[in-house]
Amino acid sequence: MSSDNKTSPLDPQDWDAFRSEAHAFLDACMDQMQNARDYPWQPVPEEVKERFAIGTQNASVTERLKSDVLPYGCGSPHPQFWGWVQGTGLASGFLSEMANVVTNINCGGRDHGAVYMERAVIDWTRQQMGFPETASGVLVTGTSQATVIAFAAARLRALGANVRKTGQGDVRLVAYASGGVHNASKKAIELLGIGSDNLRLVPTVDGQMDVSALAGMVAEDHASGAKPFLVVGNAGTVDIGAFDDLNLLADAAENLDLWLHVDGAFGAWTRIAEAPYRCLTDGIERADSIALDYHKWMYVNYDCGCVLIRDEDEHRAAFAARPAYLQGGARGLSGGDPWFCDYGIDLSRGNRALKVWTALETYGIDAFSQAITGNCHLAAYMASQVGSAQNMRVVAPVASNVCVFTADETLAADAQSDLNQRISEDLQENGEAVFSTTLVDGVKVLRAAITNHRTHQTDIDAALAAVMKARG
Ligand SMILES: *Cc1c(COP(=O)(O)O)cnc(C)c1O
């Protein structure tokens, strides 16, 4: 304790001044979110990049946040942003972020409110996915991390708990997924030391994994002395939004003795959409694990994802470990069980549950259901408008919220790719719309993944008009 009652230089010296400055800044932030339409992505000017250098500026931090930070976000709150798969963020996030600052929660374990809240969020998610009460989960940065956790549990089932001590030795584990699988699965396979050559791509029929081809590949790998252990089902591929038939995959996984993991980063949320979109994920309840994000199609602020594991024992077996300095107590702060550090990679971890909880409690589940269903309708609308525009063409069926198209199908493949790339860049830089691009049948195409609760039909019209204009 300091004897002279001085405030630490790391706390405000004048709380009243700090409070009024912070209130004014909060208003500026709210103004921007309320008027998200006026804040498309824009490139960061060179002088702004330079001003980030630590210790070089005199203006107050709130002034600099207003001039150098707020205008240069990634653009995802804007109603005409459909690039990659990025959620819009929610105003309820203001509340959760404030509460998180003041409580400064470490959610790795121990006994405090956020642990119970996280369990409630996981439990709600578990119910939406149709998992049994014996399932467990943990909130993570996103589907990339969720996938590592799920695959680690799958590997432990294949090789036994000793794998944690001895590594996997000479065993060649093999995993399977369709060609549309996200790079996150490949990364997880690499990180676990399985080697990405052992993630085999199974052919598809109408965008869905061909389960008889899968059975053939598994037999082949058994015959060569390898150990097939995992099949990844796609609930919404990142490129074109294709959904595997999860019931067929669950049958195949049972017959072939494979762990079924579902990558539902965004598409898992069709579970709370209305018909017919909800049916896309029928069978997800039969998976061994599911990875999903709240920061994409639940619109929750970055970052927040979740892994669910059907069997809590298998989940814990892959991660639980409590050295002496983390022993739980019978009571007090070190009490409480389970601790989330026994379910994943991180020990110290923030209170991610709060932003999901505030979102659900503020707007209600029906509002999410409507927004997700509405995004699917808008993707279908986009496809129909593209279809009736001269020379534009939708290049993959629109299953849910992803629409991929070319701006001019009459051009040769290379010229189409160049045109679509140029259009996406022009529209981004003009602040008109954000499409990303991807390859479909060797052609670079424009791609919209509508995970945006602010998009209206008129936004689609305006963006497609901008595409036409840019096409020239
Ligand atoms: C975004 C995405 C991922 C990766 O998730 P992150 O939250 O970005 O880590 C994995 N799979 C699919 C289908 C995705 O769309």
Side-chain angles (χ1 to χ4, degrees):
M1 205 207 291
S2 63
S3 51
D4 50 8
N5 271 338
K6 282 231 177 77
T7 309
S8 160
L10 294 181
D11 273 325
Q13 303 303 294
D14 178 345
W15 272 98
D16 288 339
F18 178 72
R19 183 185 301 254
S20 60
E21 201 179 337
H23 279 182
F25 180 64
L26 178 62
D27 279 336
C29 291
M30 291 217 178
D31 285 346
Q32 179 161 329
M33 185 176 257
Q34 191 177 355
N35 301 304
R37 187 170 290 280
D38 300 335
Y39 295 88
W41 176 83
Q42 56 175 321
V44 187
E46 287 308 315
E47 71 266 21
V48 172
K49 292 179 190 167
E50 280 164 22
R51 288 204 296 260
F52 290 139
I54 301 295
T56 60
Q57 304 297 313
N58 291 322
S60 77
V61 169
T62 50
E63 284 311 315
R64 292 173 61 204
L65 289 172
K66 281 193 261 184
S67 64
D68 295 353
V69 175
L70 295 189
Y72 303 108
C74 69
S76 62
H78 191 272
Q80 287 167 29
F81 184 104
W82 312 300
W84 303 276
V85 191
Q86 301 197 19
T88 30
L90 296 168
S92 55
F94 280 115
L95 307 177
S96 52
E97 293 304 298
M98 283 196 287
N100 266 335
V101 167
V102 72
T103 50
N104 194 34
I105 300 284
N106 179 344
C107 232
R110 292 165 282 270
D111 198 0
H112 50 83
V115 172
Y116 296 91
M117 179 182 284
E118 181 161 343
R119 285 185 213 161
V121 166
I122 291 166
D123 198 53
W124 175 81
T125 309
R126 170 188 74 70
Q127 290 176 44
Q128 306 315 308
M129 298 301 140
F131 261 27
E133 272 182 43
T134 49
S136 54
V138 65
L139 300 191
V140 290
T141 46
T143 289
S144 300
Q145 198 187 115
T147 305
V148 175
I149 293 172
F151 288 9
R155 181 176 67 168
L156 191 123
R157 181 196 282 178
L159 298 181
N162 235 17
V163 68
R164 289 181 63 173
K165 279 192 277 189
T166 63
Q168 68 184 58
D170 296 337
V171 184
R172 186 163 76 85
L173 292 174
V174 188
Y176 307 85
S178 71
V181 71
H182 191 280
N183 191 53
S185 283
K186 183 163 169 259
K187 253 193 202 170
I189 289 282
E190 289 170 1
L191 280 168
L192 290 166
I194 294 166
S196 56
D197 283 352
N198 296 314
L199 174 61
R200 296 192 64 191
L201 300 182
V202 184
T204 54
V205 179
D206 296 333
Q208 299 188 318
M209 186 187 290
D210 176 349
V211 287
S212 55
L214 169 68
M217 290 165 78
V218 168
E220 198 178 286
D221 289 326
H222 274 301
S224 76
K227 191 167 177 51
F229 82 115
L230 166 74
V231 59
V232 180
N234 287 313
T237 57
V238 64
D239 282 320
I240 61 167
F243 286 72
D244 283 319
D245 182 329
L246 298 178
N247 272 313
L248 275 187
L249 278 194
D251 292 340
E254 252 169 58
N255 293 335
L256 301 168
D257 196 19
L258 301 173
W259 177 291
L260 173 58
H261 172 74
V262 173
D263 179 346
F266 64 98
W269 293 111
T270 54
R271 270 291 88 182
I272 63 171
E274 289 157 22
Y277 303 106
R278 183 185 153 86
C279 310
L280 291 167
T281 35
D282 282 354
I284 199 169
E285 70 282 357
R286 296 172 62 193
D288 292 294
S289 54
I290 304 171
L292 53 80
D293 284 321
Y294 305 92
H295 59 215
K296 288 178 174 171
W297 218 1
M298 285 290 284
Y299 319 101
V300 166
N301 299 73
Y302 284 97
D303 47 30
C304 193
C306 178
V307 61
L308 292 174
I309 308 256
R310 169 174 221 87
D311 180 339
E312 176 160 20
D313 291 341
E314 290 190 304
H315 191 175
R316 289 184 65 95
F319 289 96
R322 292 275 196 94
Y325 50 84
L326 292 176
Q327 287 300 312
R331 60 193 183 85
L333 177 57
S334 64
D337 192 58
W339 285 22
F340 285 111
C341 61
D342 286 331
Y343 294 78
I345 298 163
D346 299 322
L347 171 56
S348 300
R349 46 197 297 281
N351 178 12
R352 292 197 181 89
L354 187 53
K355 51 194 163 189
V356 182
W357 185 88
T358 47
L360 287 170
E361 293 292 283
T362 303
Y363 306 112
I365 296 161
D366 284 354
F368 288 93
S369 171
Q370 280 164 27
I372 291 166
T373 308
N375 285 167
C376 294
H377 291 154
L378 287 170
Y381 176 76
M382 184 182 284
S384 78
Q385 296 307 100
V386 166
S388 54
Q390 198 181 14
N391 297 341
M392 287 205 224
R393 188 168 62 88
V394 176
V395 298
V398 177
S400 59
N401 63 329
V402 179
C403 177
V404 279
F405 64 98
T406 183
D408 190 346
E409 63 166 334
T410 64
L411 301 177
D414 281 356
Q416 275 188 62
S417 295
D418 291 347
L419 175 69
N420 290 327
Q421 178 69 29
R422 180 180 64 73
I423 291 176
S424 80
E425 290 169 358
D426 282 354
L427 266 55
Q428 289 167 15
E429 291 188 346
N430 297 340
E432 289 172 306
V434 175
F435 293 97
S436 54
T437 60
T438 194
L439 280 184
V440 174
D441 301 329
V443 177
K444 190 177 278 189
V445 294
L446 294 165
R447 177 179 162 286
I450 308 180
T451 49
N452 190 323
H453 68 285
R454 298 193 182 103
T455 302
H456 293 289
Q457 202 162 297
T458 47
D459 293 305
I460 309 272
D461 294 335
L464 290 180
V467 170
M468 292 282 242
K469 198 169 123 237
R471 185 172 73 173

